[in-house]
């Protein structure tokens, strides 16, 4: 959730003391601390105070109708604190049905019972794989400066560690203990990577190039960006695209 520029900051130890002392007046949502106002007009009555001094998220997992963009915008106006030390404080709100493997960075898989409901996995249920906090990006600065032919491809994406939990039963392995649903399917729309590289002056048959390296906008405290590479032949394949749209909807931050 985007943080308010005018929000004061507080250290977590001081904040916890305040929450205990004022436990009937405050409630906490993720890294936000919000003052409970007009509880008498809340449809749930005093039930809202069950979350006082703690996280409201366990209740929202049950009353999921609260988790909407409109409600988030209202809560943002009530923000009085943001945790100055938490690099994950601006991560987006995720669907409560996701099976969480780690909170920070957030990694979660699609529930098996929902994975087969649709041929294309709904955006909000798409499995999530992060190595670092979700970056804050400005769409205006992430534009292609050339006109390219748009291409759409329906493709499955799977984490390389999917079913690591099963592997771990036979031999101890490192990494997140994914079960079997770190996998999702979507229709991706974008431009061919080869078209972009050729406009940049790369020859499609250059024998000296072995790999194409990518860097993400996400970075660690040292400023090192998460990166990966693919073989040059794969980069030049017509099926390899730079996607800017998923499942016919604007791509959401995960």
């Amino acid at each position: 959730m985007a943080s308010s520029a005018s929000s004061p900051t507080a250290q977590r130890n001081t904040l916890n003391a305040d929450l205990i002392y004022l436990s009937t007046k405050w409630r906490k949502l993720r890294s936000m601390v919000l003052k409970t106002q007009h509880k008498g007009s809340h449809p749930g009555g005093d039930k809202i105070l069950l979350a006082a001094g703690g996280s409201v998220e366990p209740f929202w997992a049950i009353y999921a109708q609260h988790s909407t963009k409109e409600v988030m915008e209202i809560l943002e106006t009530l923000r009085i604190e943001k945790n100055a030390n938490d690099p994950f404080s601006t991560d987006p709100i995720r669907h409560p049905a996701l099976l969480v493997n780690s909170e920070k960075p957030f990694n979660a898989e699609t529930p098996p019972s929902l994975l087969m409901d649709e041929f294309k996995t709904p955006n909000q249920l798409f499995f999530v794989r992060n190595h670092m906090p979700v970056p804050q990006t400005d769409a205006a600065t992430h534009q292609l400066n050339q006109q390219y032919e748009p291409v759409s491809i329906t493709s499955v994406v799977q984490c390389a560690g999917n079913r690591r939990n099963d592997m771990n039963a036979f031999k101890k392995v490192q990494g997140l203990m994914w079960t079997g649903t770190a996998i999702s399917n979507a229709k991706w729309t974008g431009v061919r990577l080869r078209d972009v590289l050729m406009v940049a002056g790369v020859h499609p048959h250059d024998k000296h190039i072995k790999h194409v390296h990518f860097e993400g906008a996400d970075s660690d405290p040292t400023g090192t960006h998460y990166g990966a590479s693919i073989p040059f032949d794969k980069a030049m394949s017509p099926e390899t695209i730079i996607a800017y749209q998923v499942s016919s909807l604007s791509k959401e931050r995960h």
Side-chain angles (χ1 to χ4, degrees), residues 105-126:
F106 188 84
N107 291 281
E109 50 194 306
T110 312
S113 59
L114 301 179
L115 187 61
M116 299 298 292
D117 280 357
E118 302 285 346
F119 177 66
K120 292 188 295 184
T121 311
N123 285 8
Q124 67 271 22
L125 294 177
F126 213 93

Side-chain angles (χ1 to χ4, degrees), residues 156-244:
V156 170
V157 175
Q158 176 180 226
C159 179
N162 198 28
R163 296 191 65 186
R164 185 178 284 127
N165 189 54
D166 292 339
M167 304 175 200
N168 197 59
F170 291 92
K171 182 180 179 180
K172 286 291 182 182
V173 292
Q174 298 296 317
L176 293 170
M177 291 297 116
W178 300 105
T179 57
T181 52
I183 183 171
S184 299
N185 185 44
K187 176 184 177 182
W188 309 89
T189 299
V191 299
R192 290 187 177 92
L193 175 58
R194 62 172 290 157
D195 292 347
V196 176
L197 293 176
M198 289 171 66
V199 168
V202 175
H203 193 282
H205 302 296
D206 191 328
K207 299 300 182 182
H208 296 93
I209 303 176
K210 303 302 181 184
H211 275 254
V212 175
H213 179 78
F214 304 89
E215 284 192 353
D218 44 343
S219 61
D220 65 16
T222 69
T224 302
H225 291 265
Y226 180 76
S229 68
I230 60 174
F232 184 60
D233 289 345
K234 182 65 176 177
M236 286 295 158
S237 169
E239 68 178 10
T240 303
I241 67 172
I242 301 174
Y244 51 71

